[in-house]
Amino acid sequence: MNTPEISVVVPAFNESANLEPLVSRLLSGLRSLSCMCEILIINDGSTDATLKATAALESQHPEVRAIHFSRNFGKEAALAAGMDAAIGRATIFMDADLQHPPELVQQMVLAWRRGAQVVNAVKRRRSAEPLLYRWCAKLFNHSMSTALRSNMAGASDYKLLDRSVIQALLECPERVRFFRGMVAWVGFRQERLEFDVPD
Ligand code: UDP
Ligand code: MG
């Protein structure tokens, strides 16, 4: 296969029902940009029908490839495996549960084609979350902003990273990574795009 312009890395833990709509919405957005792409689904030890759903998608779409973990290792490990496996000139990282609207990939790719090396999707409106969760997220983002000297309010793992950024992150020796913190820290030309989080 020729090098795809865009890789999409999707960590998935028990997301069987969401994968088909996610892939079809992603492919229609990327095809409208004439983008050659690969979609890597990282199955993080799911116990539902995710294995079957990924097999169906792989046979239907040559762009889709699944990597299966032997057990549940957590989202950060799934993101790290995706970063190792992706070969695109840029890679988009996004959740499988449709809380990261797939239509935003078009604006992300256009921002990258204009010269951005990191495109951060930032939460404008959070989904309906319990007050305590919301408060803890705010406190966490505030402490992280201070530590990283970067504004982490509304930060999400929905991001596009240019190949050069992926290379820099892969050269970091950390084995346990905090993806969104490391991207905020690593530098490069960064842009932000706002989105509302569906419930
Ligand atoms: N996820 C994963 N491993 C886990 C937990 C979650 O790969 O152990 C995936 C999940 O399938 C989803 C993304 O990580 O695609 C975000 O998870 P979740 O929706 O639970 O997080 P939240 O929306 O609360 O940030
Ligand atoms: Mg979610």
Side-chain angles (χ1 to χ4, degrees):
M1 194 169 81
N2 296 330
T3 304
E5 187 178 15
I6 299 291
S7 299
V8 185
V9 166
V10 185
F13 178 58
N14 294 342
E15 302 282 3
S16 61
N18 294 323
L19 293 174
E20 199 284 321
L22 173 74
V23 166
S24 82
R25 284 166 66 181
L26 265 177
L27 285 176
S28 77
L30 290 166
R31 281 178 187 149
S32 74
L33 295 170
S34 309
C35 213
M36 198 161 83
C37 70
E38 62 168 359
I39 299 177
L40 301 174
I41 299 170
I42 318 297
N43 174 12
D44 183 17
S46 298
T47 51
D48 69 349
T50 291
L51 190 74
K52 209 167 145 199
T54 54
L57 289 166
E58 284 177 304
S59 64
Q60 216 181 329
H61 305 288
E63 295 92 341
V64 175
R65 184 156 67 91
I67 292 172
H68 302 282
F69 283 0
S70 56
R71 64 164 172 84
N72 179 243
F73 283 88
K75 181 181 174 181
E76 288 290 337
L79 291 171
M83 204 183 284
D84 279 339
I87 59 169
R89 293 202 288 115
T91 299
I92 294 171
F93 297 83
M94 68 187 299
D95 288 358
D97 61 1
L98 304 170
Q99 287 200 292
H100 291 167
E103 287 66 32
L104 206 66
V105 298
Q106 299 182 53
Q107 288 179 60
M108 288 177 140
V109 171
L110 291 175
W112 170 69
R113 284 179 179 169
R114 283 195 305 267
Q117 292 169 301
V118 175
V119 186
N120 294 299
V122 178
K123 297 168 192 166
R124 181 170 39 211
R125 188 192 72 84
R126 303 181 72 97
S127 59
E129 294 162 335
L131 204 63
L132 184 63
Y133 184 100
R134 189 181 287 256
W135 189 80
C136 289
K138 208 170 174 171
L139 185 66
F140 180 78
N141 284 337
H142 181 75
S143 327
M144 276 316 215
S145 302
T146 310
L148 294 163
R149 278 176 278 158
S150 159
N151 181 10
M152 299 289 285
S156 80
D157 289 336
Y158 193 8
K159 295 182 186 304
L160 176 148
L161 305 185
D162 182 74
R163 185 81 236 151
S164 53
V165 182
I166 302 260
Q167 207 47 52
L169 291 173
L170 289 175
E171 282 166 21
C172 295
E174 280 82 358
R175 296 309 304 160
V176 179
R177 298 193 187 127
F178 174 47
F179 176 71
R180 91 182 63 154
M182 286 185 77
V183 174
W185 162 87
V186 77
F188 292 92
R189 283 190 302 278
Q190 305 218 2
E191 268 189 35
R192 49 189 275 150
L193 285 176
E194 293 193 331
F195 74 105
D196 295 325
V197 185
D199 289 337

